Amino acid sequence: MREESVVARRLREARQRAGLSQALLGLRAGIDASVASTRINQYERGKHRPGLGTVERIASCLSIPAPYFYAESDQLAAWILAYTTVGPALRDAVLHEAKAESHPPAK
């Protein structure tokens, strides 16, 4: 049994969350109508892996950042999605706090 790829799993989750069929997502991502559903299905099953350009088009259609599809950790994937939903002030505050935590002042 082949282990499911993170790209395949995240693609299926994101598409389902958006309420789109495989065919509709494929069409919106610029895949030819005659193979749109089949191609997305193959990506979601891990039979084929979409190239970066395809991932970027799919991400754009789903209004999520492309790095989401590559995040191995579910927590990181959630952070990536959350990043898109908060304003710049909160993004800056979290980044500032993270930098402070990773580089504490010298004593």
Side-chain angles (χ1 to χ4, degrees):
M1 183 172 139
R2 181 174 27 178
E3 186 176 321
E4 182 178 45
S5 81
V6 69
V7 174
R9 181 167 52 94
R10 300 240 183 267
L11 173 56
R12 184 178 54 256
E13 290 169 355
R15 178 188 59 77
Q16 290 174 340
R17 199 171 36 250
L20 297 176
S21 68
Q22 291 174 335
L24 185 55
L25 177 58
L27 288 171
R28 288 184 179 177
I31 299 171
D32 185 84
S34 65
V35 296
S37 180
T38 302
R39 183 89 53 87
I40 297 297
N41 180 273
Q42 291 174 344
Y43 294 156
E44 289 184 4
R45 289 186 300 121
K47 182 174 181 182
H48 295 289
R49 188 171 184 159
L52 182 57
T54 302
V55 169
E56 288 174 342
R57 287 191 308 276
I58 290 170
S60 177
C61 293
L62 296 171
S63 300
I64 59 176
Y68 166 80
F69 293 104
Y70 301 102
E72 291 283 341
S73 155
D74 289 340
Q75 187 175 36
L76 177 57
W79 272 88
I80 291 169
L81 291 178
Y83 177 86
T84 65
T85 64
V86 300
L90 183 53
R91 289 179 195 163
D92 290 344
V94 169
L95 182 58
H96 178 75
E97 184 65 28
K99 284 180 179 179
E101 287 287 321
S102 65
H103 298 22
K107 292 184 180 187

